[in-house]
Amino acid sequence: MTLSLTHVHGDRVTVAHGAAGTELFSYVYRPEAEWEAPKPYLHPVRTLSGAVVTGYRPNDHRWHKGLQLTASHLSGQNLWGGNTYVHGEGYLALPERVGSMDHVSFEEVGVGAGRAVIAERLTWHPHGGELWAEEERRVEAGDIDPDSGSWTLTWTSAVTNRRAEPLRFGSPTTHGRPAAGYTGLFWRGPRAFRGGRVLTATSAGSARSGESAASPENGPMGSQAPWLAYVGEHDGRDGHATLVFEHAPSNDHAGEKGTHPAHWFVRSDPFAAVAPSWAFHEELVLAPGETLARTYRVVVADGAWDRARVAAHLAALGW
């Protein structure tokens, strides 16, 4: 099925499909509020039928914007946005710790052979504006499948430390808050998806063969699995949508403290959110000049998929 692309320079790149021009997502890179740790993000993201599956600036967390790459604790800085978690004191308004991920240039923006590609260069900065990291990012859309009602988004980022000292990636959990290991690629679902169903690739930590309500007490929060799926039900229209998050086998990173395979951060209450965390239980340390490379795939599908259907679809896609 044909993909098309529209670039509003300085603002966003929008990818659509089909004769009707149904928009699959917008990649927004314009600067936004400093308090929200400005960074590019995808919103709205839609299914093939046009249903929106991302939230944007919800009143509980204004810095939650669709699908974005984040760093909640980075060597004492907050590139996540909003208040900063401080052990023993909770979340504090510390604007002097809020940094940014800035768009520099696009290396490629185009469509062809059934895929849309956005390749971008970014720089990461603490609040003071120094250069801490350079990132090469590639976002691709493809695998349009009307029969299954799905398409895939692949996100690859390579982040190189440009400081003269290590970059320490952490999370609220590495700083003392239980079950709050969010950092890295982060999805915020629409408000209607609250209370959705979470499926994992394995039954570990789950009450029903990988199917559970996501919570620290009963579910995959903080666990490891090749993929995790979230099923939500729409407001304003009938039906469900399923998002499947999968991290590439190559994502394990050898650092100062060994390998750091992804651990899942996932909530269905009080809001829908998923992140394959870089630093759930312990910090990830990136030495000067070293590059942290990550690849993720997100399947966006109409309908409520079960665990068997997710597994079969991913097996057919392969890596």
Side-chain angles (χ1 to χ4, degrees), residues 63-76:
W63 47 94
H64 288 188
K65 298 175 182 177
L67 182 70
Q68 58 183 337
L69 193 72
T70 71
S72 57
H73 287 71
L74 182 67
S75 296

Side-chain angles (χ1 to χ4, degrees), residues 231-255:
V231 182
E233 186 172 9
H234 303 297
D235 278 343
R237 60 183 290 168
D238 293 336
H240 297 74
T242 302
L243 285 89
V244 184
F245 303 86
E246 185 180 22
H247 64 85
S250 61
N251 281 356
D252 287 1
H253 168 73

Side-chain angles (χ1 to χ4, degrees), residues 4-235:
S4 59
L5 182 149
T6 303
H7 188 181
V8 179
H9 290 271
D11 184 24
R12 68 187 60 209
V13 178
T14 299
V15 174
H17 83 98
T22 302
E23 294 182 359
L24 296 182
F25 67 88
S26 286
Y27 185 84
V28 183
Y29 65 97
R30 66 168 184 260
E32 298 202 353
E34 183 176 338
W35 173 245
E36 297 169 11
K39 64 183 72 69
Y41 58 88
L42 276 71
H43 177 79
V45 178
R46 294 183 172 90
T47 66
L48 290 184
S49 71
V52 175
V53 295
T54 49
Y56 173 74
R57 296 190 78 245
N59 59 26
D60 49 71
H61 296 80
R62 295 296 190 195
W63 47 94
H64 288 188
K65 298 175 182 177
L67 182 70
Q68 58 183 337
L69 193 72
T70 71
S72 57
H73 287 71
L74 182 67
S75 296
Q77 287 283 301
N78 167 8
L79 274 65
W80 164 269
N83 293 341
T84 299
Y85 180 78
V86 178
H87 184 55
E89 300 181 67
Y91 284 92
L92 304 179
L94 301 172
E96 69 277 8
R97 294 194 188 182
V98 180
S100 65
M101 300 178 187
D102 299 340
H103 167 79
V104 175
S105 64
F106 287 116
E107 301 299 303
E108 181 182 359
V109 176
V111 294
R115 303 194 74 79
V117 176
I118 301 170
E120 182 186 26
R121 298 182 67 87
L122 304 96
T123 51
W124 294 25
H125 306 274
H127 182 76
E130 303 93 331
L131 175 63
W132 273 18
E134 294 179 317
E135 180 190 348
E136 295 183 4
R137 178 179 298 181
R138 187 177 181 89
V139 176
E140 296 187 51
D143 302 312
I144 310 296
D145 185 357
D147 291 337
S148 66
S150 69
W151 64 279
T152 65
L153 176 85
T154 303
W155 182 305
T156 298
S157 284
V159 181
T160 302
N161 181 3
R162 296 305 186 196
R163 299 182 80 195
E165 58 187 281
L167 279 174
R168 308 187 71 90
F169 291 83
S171 66
T173 295
T174 67
H175 285 67
R177 184 189 175 200
Y182 48 78
T183 190
L185 190 69
F186 180 81
W187 166 77
R188 172 66 190 252
R191 194 169 299 276
F193 279 24
R194 177 179 178 178
R197 193 180 194 190
V198 176
L199 319 173
T200 65
T202 69
S203 59
S206 170
R208 295 190 300 156
S209 301
E211 303 175 8
S212 72
S215 70
E217 297 77 25
N218 177 34
M221 176 71 87
S223 67
Q224 294 176 274
W227 59 262
L228 181 146
Y230 194 104
V231 182
E233 186 172 9
H234 303 297
D235 278 343

